[in-house]
Amino acid sequence: MTLPQAAQAPATTNDRAAVVLAAGHDDASRELITRPLGEATVVELAVANVRKIVADDRIVVVVAPGDTTVRGLLGDDLTYVEQQDLPGTGGAVLAARATIEAFATPAREVLVAYADTPLLRSESLLGLLTRHTLKSADLSLLAAVVTEDLPTYGRIVREDGEITAILEEEDRPADAGTGGTPAEVNVGAYVASPGLLFAELEAMLAGGEHRLTELARRVIAKHKSISSYRIYDTDEVRGINTPEELQEAADILLKRLFMPKKNTDTKIVFGTGGWRAIIGEGYTLANVRRLCQAIANETVRKGIDGLGVVIGGDRRFLSRESAVAAAEVFAGNNIPVTLLPDDVPTPLVTFAAPYLGAAYGIIVTSSHNPPEWNGMKVFRQDGSLPLDDETDRYQDEANALSVDDVITLDLAVARKAGLVVDKVLTEPYVDAIEKIVDVDAVRGSDLRVIVDPMYGTSQLTLGTILNDMRVRSEFIHASHNPLFGGIAPAPDLQRLSTLISMIKQGDGRYDLGMATDGDSDRIGIVDETGEYISTNDLLLLLYWYLHEFRGEKGGVVRNLATTHLLDRLAAHFGEESREVKVGFKHVTAGMEEIGAVLGGESSGGLTVRGWILGKDGIFACALVVEMLARTGKKISELREMIYEITGRLYTLEAGVDSTPEMRVAVPRRLEADPLTHIGPYPVVSISHLDGTKIVLENDNWALLRFSGTEPVLRMFVEADSPEKATELLDWLKGFVTAGV
């Protein structure tokens, strides 16, 4: 049945056709579209947008006579015609007539686009095509609402909402700029039926007019229906006609890489700590299944599918449902699954992979992110995080999969078949910690601690360990609350006000305050006076303790945002220190390389040699308690002892929401104007290992780094005095905001 024209559905990729104009008007313009732009060329990017909405075998590219360069870039799956004697852009489109009319399936509509407009989004072209059909228009054009003067674009004139004229540059008064007032211009992409399109172009050329822009004026003059689709991002309008415009386009493309996308882009992207996304946008059960299918494929390819996987989830929204969905995918791929009960800490899954000999451990969590986020962390057979090349493979394969590519087996059937086994591993995990931590040394110490798990997952395991140590412990914020009390569950100074207040009001009642983040892999410490102890200081204390009381030798590894006092202490011990990129996978890799006894990062993560290859806030809490019991000293006393060895440095950090413009402008300004001083302080060296780290004299430094998990630019400084630290941080803030 054929629908009436007014009710017809939008054409599909199989009954549309497209003409892409790539012949250029001279050698310079033809050469320009073949230049690199990002990871492709101008013409490749422009045609890639058309490919998304029109089938490859229905795209006709008009090239210059004898051209081979454009063909070589675009490939053999497109059709090419040469623009011979027909002049102008109107003649270029007409050159494609015979090819399009010869299609086995006639085209209902033809899209005309350009090879020099790579910044047009495919969504805008799709909007134009869809609106053309829904409006039952004779001709539709792509319009843009702009506030800057673009004299080469025709100005659209409307009466009662209908397009009545298009004024080209020569038709407008000399002072007809926008003056900052929004104006509507004709971008130059069109959609029409092939009959109307080619008939009007033939008549135009016969009358001596060869500009494609005349097409719309002819349709208006004949009182035919004309519609438009408006775009409001003026970046899309920019063509590539000069090298300067090519550079501007490169900046725009880089900016788009970091532009937060909503419903049009739900790709899986791994950061430094796994895959994380906002629930309902990037984080969906469909994406969970696609990612698990990709990992299942990798497991089978490696021939380790018989080892199975272990899967758990934390307390966030959708965590349990996601763990079940993941189990069904692996079971569907004939891979055995050990499914942990809900509310497990990430370190328990890190431990479980090598404990069970599983091919992979998977935990559904978004760590310390705000409650609207969720995600997944993947651990290898030894409990380590996969490095970037591995996670790139997972995400690329997952993003290439469709829903139909995912194989699942219903959980009830999988359980009955023995492919999914439910197992509690809390006791083996706790037992393993207690083989490393000296439980007996703590007993009898009469320590009293208060713990804030931040509505996370540590209370069962950590509570059991503290009970075994005979430590009097009190837990706050221990109930199941997926909103985490309205804050991000990160154990930092700003979010531990209740813990700090209770210790101060306890008037000596507590020896220690401890906190873990939402998935329990990070630690926060408050001393007996209610002072928050930075992880930088905690790492110093534990490194000293492991060396001096436990006889552990072997150096230390830190990420580049962590205190250089660790380097000083390592030098004091005659041991090696190693700086690595942010991401705990780099810390554990560095530990293995130098045989380090301790590895950590200023954001709250640490581990020791002989324990799991990942950060563990529960283990860290137990080790801190052991340190207090064996030394017989308070945290405040231990800090002063260490400062006598290392001296004192003061750290500050801040973060600002990073815009796409900042991600382009900040690195470029650093490259364009190499730093010799920060204020009066000479620069000793600059590292681009991860972000930009500016090293000053006497272990002072400043770091600018864009987060790998959040849209934030992080700033860190370390200096000889609090005043100097503030000065350095203020300089960074000023540098970041200047000109952005």
Side-chain angles (χ1 to χ4, degrees):
M1 182 177 108
T2 302
L3 295 172
Q5 185 180 19
Q8 281 191 350
T12 67
T13 56
N14 291 322
D15 52 12
R16 295 172 183 148
V19 179
V20 181
L21 307 187
H25 61 275
D26 57 24
D27 290 341
S29 64
R30 286 188 283 272
E31 188 272 337
L32 202 55
I33 66 171
T34 63
R35 286 194 188 183
L37 180 56
E39 297 182 354
T41 60
V42 173
V43 66
E44 286 176 289
L45 290 173
V47 174
N49 286 325
V50 178
R51 287 180 188 266
K52 292 179 181 178
I53 52 178
V54 179
D56 290 347
D57 61 356
R58 298 176 70 82
I59 298 175
V60 180
V61 182
V62 182
V63 296
D67 170 84
T68 58
T69 305
V70 170
R71 301 174 199 242
L73 289 170
L74 297 180
D76 296 333
D77 55 341
L78 305 180
T79 302
Y80 300 90
V81 297
E82 294 184 357
Q83 184 179 1
Q84 298 287 350
D85 301 325
L86 300 174
T89 50
V93 177
L94 199 56
R97 179 177 190 171
T99 302
I100 288 178
E101 291 181 342
F103 284 153
T105 302
R108 279 174 45 189
E109 56 196 29
V110 178
L111 167 69
V112 179
Y114 299 85
D116 64 352
T117 55
L119 300 177
L120 271 179
R121 299 178 190 271
S122 60
E123 293 91 345
S124 297
L125 295 175
L126 180 60
L128 174 63
L129 286 160
T130 303
R131 198 168 184 86
H132 174 78
T133 303
L134 295 177
K135 287 284 190 180
S136 299
D138 293 302
L139 175 72
S140 296
L141 58 85
L142 191 62
V145 179
V146 300
T147 54
E148 58 185 302
D149 293 331
L150 299 173
T152 59
Y153 289 87
R155 186 76 59 81
I156 293 175
V157 179
R158 292 180 183 267
E159 292 181 8
D160 298 324
E162 299 297 324
I163 297 175
T164 57
I166 297 177
L167 301 180
E168 301 299 335
E169 183 177 9
E170 64 271 17
D171 300 324
R172 301 196 298 267
D175 60 349
T178 68
T181 302
E184 188 178 10
V185 298
N186 177 23
V187 174
Y190 301 95
V191 178
S193 69
L196 179 144
L197 177 66
F198 297 127
E200 291 295 336
L201 290 176
E202 192 170 43
M204 280 169 45
L205 265 66
E209 175 59 64
H210 53 78
R211 297 176 303 171
L212 185 58
T213 52
E214 180 65 20
L215 176 65
R217 302 175 79 170
R218 291 179 63 88
V219 171
I220 293 169
K222 291 184 176 182
H223 303 290
K224 292 182 177 292
S225 62
I226 183 168
S227 72
S228 68
Y229 177 81
R230 292 173 178 166
I231 56 178
Y232 294 87
D233 179 1
T234 54
D235 285 348
E236 292 191 61
V237 179
R238 302 178 188 275
I240 310 298
N241 299 298
T242 66
E244 291 74 22
E245 290 177 341
L246 182 64
Q247 182 57 59
E248 290 176 4
D251 290 348
I252 292 168
L253 282 182
L254 183 59
K255 180 177 72 173
R256 284 181 180 177
L257 287 175
F258 305 104
M259 187 75 72
K261 295 182 180 180
K262 304 275 183 203
N263 51 8
T264 59
D265 188 355
T266 58
K267 290 181 179 177
I268 297 164
V269 179
F270 273 75
T272 54
W275 165 52
R276 303 177 192 180
I278 294 176
I279 297 170
E281 287 190 2
Y283 190 85
T284 63
L285 291 178
N287 270 351
V288 168
R289 294 185 180 101
R290 289 199 301 155
L291 177 56
C292 289
Q293 182 65 53
I295 299 171
N297 292 347
E298 181 83 351
T299 308
V300 174
R301 276 193 294 264
K302 288 182 174 180
I304 56 176
D305 45 305
L307 300 177
V309 296
V310 56
I311 299 172
D314 69 1
R315 288 183 156 187
R316 288 178 177 268
F317 286 117
L318 282 185
S319 284
R320 188 57 187 171
E321 293 84 351
S322 299
V324 168
E328 291 180 333
V329 171
F330 283 100
N333 285 271
N334 292 168
I335 298 172
V337 176
T338 299
L339 184 60
L340 304 177
D342 203 4
D343 302 351
V344 296
T346 288
L348 190 151
V349 176
T350 312
F351 161 83
Y355 175 76
L356 295 175
Y360 291 101
I362 295 172
I363 177 74
V364 181
T365 182
S366 189
S367 190
H368 61 285
N369 279 55
E372 63 268 25
W373 291 70
N374 210 334
M376 291 177 66
K377 292 180 181 179
V378 181
F379 299 97
R380 296 186 291 195
Q381 188 175 357
D382 62 358
S384 64
L385 285 167
L387 298 178
D388 294 344
D389 60 333
E390 295 173 76
T391 56
D392 286 348
R393 289 201 306 272
Y394 303 156
Q395 71 182 30
D396 291 347
E397 182 167 356
N399 289 325
L401 296 173
S402 71
V403 175
D404 294 334
D405 296 322
V406 177
I407 308 165
T408 63
L409 181 65
D410 181 76
L411 183 63
V413 177
R415 280 176 168 150
K416 187 175 181 180
L419 273 172
V420 174
V421 176
D422 299 274
K423 192 168 188 177
V424 177
L425 294 179
T426 300
E427 189 170 326
Y429 170 71
V430 169
D431 288 345
I433 290 178
E434 293 184 354
K435 287 179 181 178
I436 299 177
V437 176
D438 194 342
V439 173
D440 291 334
V442 181
R443 291 177 177 173
S445 61
D446 201 32
L447 289 173
R448 183 158 192 168
V449 303
I450 182 169
V451 183
D452 185 355
M454 306 192 78
Y455 301 104
T457 56
S458 69
Q459 58 270 28
L460 175 58
T461 49
L462 181 55
T464 300
I465 294 167
L466 293 174
N467 184 62
D468 290 345
M469 290 175 164
R470 307 295 189 265
V471 171
R472 292 180 293 169
S473 57
E474 182 178 340
F475 281 75
I476 62 174
H477 303 147
S479 61
H480 187 169
N481 181 351
L483 291 176
F484 301 106
I487 62 172
D492 53 34
L493 174 61
Q494 294 74 22
R495 297 176 177 89
L496 296 181
S497 57
T498 303
L499 180 64
I500 291 170
S501 176
M502 290 183 69
I503 292 176
K504 288 181 176 180
Q505 293 173 9
D507 195 23
R509 180 182 179 186
Y510 302 105
D511 298 293
L512 177 68
M514 302 187 293
T516 52
D517 69 339
D519 69 331
S520 310
D521 65 355
R522 298 190 183 204
I523 183 176
I525 293 292
V526 178
D527 75 8
E528 76 283 357
T529 69
E531 181 179 354
Y532 177 78
I533 305 300
S534 71
T535 308
N536 283 322
D537 280 350
L538 178 60
L539 290 169
L540 273 177
L541 298 179
L542 289 176
Y543 182 29
W544 172 85
Y545 170 72
L546 290 168
H547 192 279
E548 298 296 281
F549 272 75
R550 296 189 57 152
E552 300 279 357
K553 315 295 183 184
V556 65
V557 175
R558 58 166 179 79
N559 73 19
L560 78 171
T562 301
T563 180
H564 284 208
L565 290 180
L566 284 168
D567 302 39
R568 291 185 182 180
L569 188 54
H572 172 76
F573 290 146
E575 297 179 344
E576 185 176 357
S577 59
R578 176 71 62 90
E579 179 175 278
V580 298
K581 295 195 296 185
V582 172
F584 212 77
K585 56 192 173 186
H586 302 298
V587 173
T588 55
M591 290 177 68
E592 184 176 357
E593 289 173 8
I594 69 170
V597 64
L598 175 72
E601 53 188 16
S602 60
S603 57
L606 64 92
T607 193
V608 303
R609 185 176 56 210
W611 186 229
I612 60 176
L613 299 178
K615 52 193 173 186
D616 187 343
I618 297 163
F619 173 84
C621 286
L623 189 59
V624 171
V625 171
E626 180 199 307
M627 178 177 67
L628 294 188
R630 288 191 62 183
T631 62
K633 295 185 180 296
K634 306 290 189 184
I635 291 285
S636 59
E637 296 172 328
L638 290 171
R639 273 210 307 173
E640 292 306 315
M641 287 177 53
I642 304 303
Y643 291 154
E644 290 294 322
I645 300 171
T646 63
R648 186 80 189 267
L649 292 173
Y650 298 85
T651 57
L652 287 175
E653 62 181 89
V656 295
D657 292 340
S658 64
T659 64
E661 289 81 4
M662 287 167 58
R663 287 186 178 260
V664 175
V666 171
R668 174 163 293 170
R669 287 173 52 223
L670 284 167
E671 292 175 6
D673 187 17
L675 292 172
T676 59
H677 288 74
I678 292 184
Y681 309 112
V683 173
V684 174
S685 63
I686 296 178
S687 167
H688 298 290
L689 174 68
D690 188 0
T692 299
K693 185 170 183 176
I694 306 160
V695 181
L696 310 175
E697 296 174 335
N698 196 35
D699 290 320
N700 290 207
W701 52 271
L703 171 66
L704 285 169
R705 179 184 176 275
F706 289 97
S707 171
T709 56
E710 301 168 87
V712 174
L713 172 59
R714 301 199 185 281
M715 294 169 277
F716 304 83
V717 300
E718 187 166 42
D720 300 316
S721 67
E723 295 78 17
K724 186 175 179 181
T726 300
E727 188 178 352
L728 294 179
L729 189 62
D730 287 344
W731 185 93
L732 286 184
K733 291 177 179 176
F735 180 85
V736 166
T737 56
V740 178

